Amino acid sequence: MTSSRLTLTARAWKLSAAMLVCAVLHGCASAPNAHPRDPWEPFNRQVSSFNESVDEAVVKPVATAYQHVTPELVRTGVSNFFGNLSDVWSLVNNVLQLKPRESVETLLRVGVNTTIGLVGLIDVATELHLEKHREDFGQTLGYWGMPTGPYLVLPLLGPSTLRDAAVLPVDRQGNLVSGLDDVATRNSLTALGLVDLRASLLGAGRLLEDAALDKYTFTRDVYLQRRRGLARDDTVPPASPAEERYDLPEPDKSAAPAAAPPTKP
C-alpha cells in the first residue's frame, strides 16, 4: 500500500512537470472573460475535476480511516513532527529573505522542538511563544521581485501558481524526508506525511462541500487570497520591483485629481 502511494506521488511530480511545460509552451487557451489571475481556467477545471476524482476514490478514504483509527494524541505528534521538519526549510527561506527576527525565532523553534520536544513530536516552541514563520522558495522569489504568474492547478498536487509550480523541485529538495538514504523509511514517512496532511483537511473539505456553490472558484479565490496574505507579510527590499498584483482595482482615470491645498502668501 505504501509503495503504491509513493509510486502515485512520483507520477504526480512527473505529470505536474509535463503539465507545467504544456501551460508555458501552449498557453492553455484562455477562456473569454477569464479571471485576470486565472487565464487558463478551462485547463485548470479539468485538472481540478481529475484531482477530485482521485481524492474521492483513494486519498480521502485512506485519510478518513487514519483519522478514525489513530488516537488524537498520536496524530498531534505526527503533525508536530512534520511541522518541525518544515521549520528547517522555512529557516533557510527566512535567511534568504534577510529576515533576522524570523530567522532567529525559527532557529530557536527547531532547536527547542528537536531536543526538548523529542524530535518535534511535542511542540514546545509554541508553548514558549516562539512564533512559526512558514516560508517556501516561491515566497522567497516573490520577496526578491519575481511575480507569481497565473493560477495553475497541478495534477494530484492541487492549487498553485506558475512561479510556485516551477520551484516545486527546489521545495521538495528542502524536505528533509526526501534526503533520507533508506528507501523504506523515506517512503513510509512520505506516505505518512501525505495522509496526515489530508486528514487535517477533512473538516475544511466538508465545509467547502456545504458552503460553496462552485468549489473550483471558491478554492481558487481562497488559495490566491492566502498567498497574497503571505506576500504581505514579506518586506520587499527597496531595490526590488514590487510583486505582480492582479487583485487591485484599476485606477479611476475619469475622476478629477484632488485639488492642491492653497499656498500661504
Side-chain angles (χ1 to χ4, degrees):
M1 186 69 175
T2 298
S3 176
S4 62
R5 283 198 294 267
L6 267 296
T7 301
L8 189 63
T9 303
R11 290 177 179 174
W13 282 99
K14 295 178 181 179
L15 187 56
S16 297
M19 291 299 186
L20 179 59
V21 172
C22 170
V24 173
L25 296 181
H26 300 288
C28 297
S30 300
N33 302 319
H35 187 284
R37 292 209 63 181
D38 189 11
W40 305 330
E41 183 172 339
F43 167 82
N44 285 334
R45 281 187 178 273
Q46 291 179 4
V47 178
S48 181
S49 178
F50 166 76
N51 289 348
E52 287 184 16
S53 299
V54 174
D55 182 69
E56 287 293 332
V58 180
V59 184
K60 184 178 178 181
V62 173
T64 302
Y66 168 79
Q67 188 178 63
H68 288 165
V69 172
T70 309
E72 183 178 359
L73 182 63
V74 175
R75 297 200 308 271
T76 300
V78 171
S79 297
N80 290 341
F81 172 78
F82 287 106
N84 188 51
L85 293 183
S86 71
D87 280 343
V88 177
W89 184 232
S90 293
L91 170 61
V92 173
N93 284 285
N94 275 301
V95 171
L96 292 176
Q97 294 176 35
L98 307 181
K99 296 179 177 180
R101 180 179 65 84
E102 291 83 351
S103 298
V104 170
E105 287 186 349
T106 305
L107 177 61
L108 291 175
R109 280 189 60 89
V110 173
V112 168
N113 284 341
T114 302
T115 54
I116 303 176
L118 304 177
V119 202
L121 294 175
I122 305 173
D123 188 3
V124 180
T126 297
E127 297 298 325
L128 295 177
H129 305 289
L130 290 171
E131 187 178 352
K132 191 178 187 70
H133 303 283
R134 191 185 304 276
E135 299 286 346
D136 54 48
F137 196 63
Q139 289 171 257
T140 296
L141 293 182
Y143 176 88
W144 291 107
M146 177 177 287
T148 60
Y151 179 66
L152 181 64
V153 181
L154 299 174
L156 302 182
L157 301 179
S160 185
T161 63
L162 187 59
R163 180 195 68 198
D164 295 342
V167 300
L168 274 175
V170 180
D171 281 324
R172 185 166 181 259
Q173 290 301 314
N175 182 354
L176 296 181
V177 173
S178 65
L180 293 176
D181 293 329
D182 187 83
V183 177
T185 302
R186 183 176 68 236
N187 290 351
S188 298
L189 287 176
T190 300
L192 178 60
L194 293 174
V195 172
D196 179 71
L197 176 62
R198 183 61 183 90
S200 69
L201 298 174
L202 289 173
R206 287 190 291 267
L207 178 64
L208 177 62
E209 292 172 358
D210 294 338
L213 297 177
D214 183 352
K215 291 174 62 176
Y216 171 83
T217 301
F218 184 85
T219 302
R220 177 195 64 197
D221 293 346
V222 168
Y223 177 82
L224 293 177
Q225 182 179 6
R226 177 178 176 274
R227 292 301 287 183
R228 285 198 300 269
L230 293 174
R232 292 190 187 102
D233 290 337
D234 298 337
T235 304
V236 180
S240 300
E243 183 163 354
E244 187 177 3
R245 296 293 299 275
Y246 293 90
D247 59 308
L248 299 178
E250 291 290 334
D252 186 358
K253 298 180 181 179
S254 62
T263 57
K264 294 183 179 180

